[in-house]
Amino acid sequence: MAEYSSGAYFIKRKNGGGGRGAALLVIVLLVLTAGIILLAVFLPKKSEDGLISGAPPANSEKKFYYLVTGESGDITTALLLVQECSSRGGAGYLYNDGIFRSVAAVYDRESDVKELTEVNEGASYFSLAMPPCKLSGKDSAALNYAFGEFNEALYNASRELDRGKMSDAAADFAVSSACRKLKALSLSMENAALARAFDIASEYDAVGDSRTLLSYIRFVQVRATVEVYYALSV
């Protein structure tokens, strides 16, 4: 058998089959050419900076929902609100978008936070939609970890701790492990703003914080999502 550059194989015929063989070869080559053209048209293209322009950003349509226990334009009142929030097991994170908001927790689904606002008097919520961005493959993978495995680890730890189904030691170990991985990822990231956000988000010292462990884990989770949002908004 004769091997062609296309990778296809054809059987040589000795008895007058040359014409048909040549015709078949032409047809196969035409089909292969058409296939190559289609691949060139539909496969994602790399831009000059090496990014795949046809691939969706890692944070595509990602949105977080924040449970608010109180808000105020006065800093003294706001600090009292976050102190009360943290004393009840909430994050006690002070978010400022022109109004100081005492954030108790962050959720992936709007239905979850809506349900909580209905059973907590005076509660409300807001959302942050992560801005689209162009990232290298390494940074995109790191962002997917932050929004996926990292966020899930902190949410599960706080939920199980609140339900009494996880010990303090187990929850602390799960969260500290996730934070160490986030810290390691920040050291090799190319996007400086995002690397800085990961560095802040990965800070974890439950022993040195005055909050309860439940409150502190929720605080770390809220802080992480907000810091990444700020970095992507630059």
Side-chain angles (χ1 to χ4, degrees):
M1 292 187 290
E3 182 178 357
Y4 292 83
S5 59
S6 65
Y9 292 88
F10 299 92
I11 298 176
K12 286 186 177 180
R13 297 187 179 181
K14 296 182 180 179
N15 299 322
R20 288 192 299 272
L24 181 59
L25 175 59
V26 171
I27 293 173
V28 172
L29 290 175
L30 287 174
V31 171
L32 289 174
T33 301
I36 292 172
I37 292 174
L38 288 173
L39 287 173
V41 171
F42 292 106
L43 280 179
K45 298 180 177 62
K46 285 191 175 181
S47 60
E48 293 180 357
D49 56 8
L51 301 178
I52 299 178
S53 59
N59 57 314
S60 179
E61 300 181 1
K62 185 64 179 178
K63 186 179 287 189
F64 290 103
Y65 302 89
Y66 300 83
L67 178 65
V68 176
T69 57
E71 56 186 49
S72 176
D74 176 68
I75 184 63
T76 302
T77 302
L79 290 174
L80 290 174
L81 287 172
V82 295
Q83 183 178 4
E84 180 185 2
C85 178
S86 62
S87 68
R88 297 170 57 187
Y93 181 93
L94 188 60
Y95 180 78
N96 181 12
D97 59 354
I99 297 178
F100 290 117
R101 304 180 192 274
S102 172
V103 179
V106 58
Y107 300 89
D108 286 316
R109 298 185 301 184
E110 187 175 13
S111 58
D112 290 339
V113 73
K114 268 187 176 181
E115 183 178 345
L116 289 169
T117 59
E118 293 172 358
V119 297
N120 287 276
E121 185 179 355
S124 61
Y125 75 94
F126 68 93
S127 64
L128 292 178
M130 297 297 155
C133 59
K134 292 178 67 177
L135 298 173
S136 67
K138 181 186 298 184
D139 287 3
S140 181
L143 189 58
N144 281 329
Y145 170 75
F147 287 162
E149 186 179 337
F150 173 81
N151 187 62
E152 184 177 351
L154 270 62
Y155 175 75
N156 288 339
S158 63
R159 181 189 60 189
E160 297 304 294
L161 192 61
D162 190 31
R163 294 177 177 178
K165 295 182 178 181
M166 180 178 282
S167 67
D168 287 353
D172 176 73
F173 178 76
V175 175
S176 60
S177 297
C179 287
R180 283 194 296 270
K181 183 172 181 179
L182 194 68
K183 174 68 174 180
L185 290 172
S186 73
L187 299 177
S188 60
M189 296 182 70
E190 299 173 15
N191 185 300
L194 202 54
R196 175 58 180 163
F198 273 39
D199 184 51
I200 296 173
S202 62
E203 293 177 4
Y204 183 78
D205 182 14
V207 176
D209 195 271
S210 59
R211 309 165 193 264
T212 64
L213 181 60
L214 176 60
S215 173
Y216 185 59
I217 291 175
R218 284 173 171 163
F219 173 83
V220 172
Q221 185 185 13
V222 172
R223 181 188 63 191
T225 58
V226 173
E227 288 296 333
V228 172
Y229 171 77
Y230 286 152
L232 294 175
S233 301
V234 174

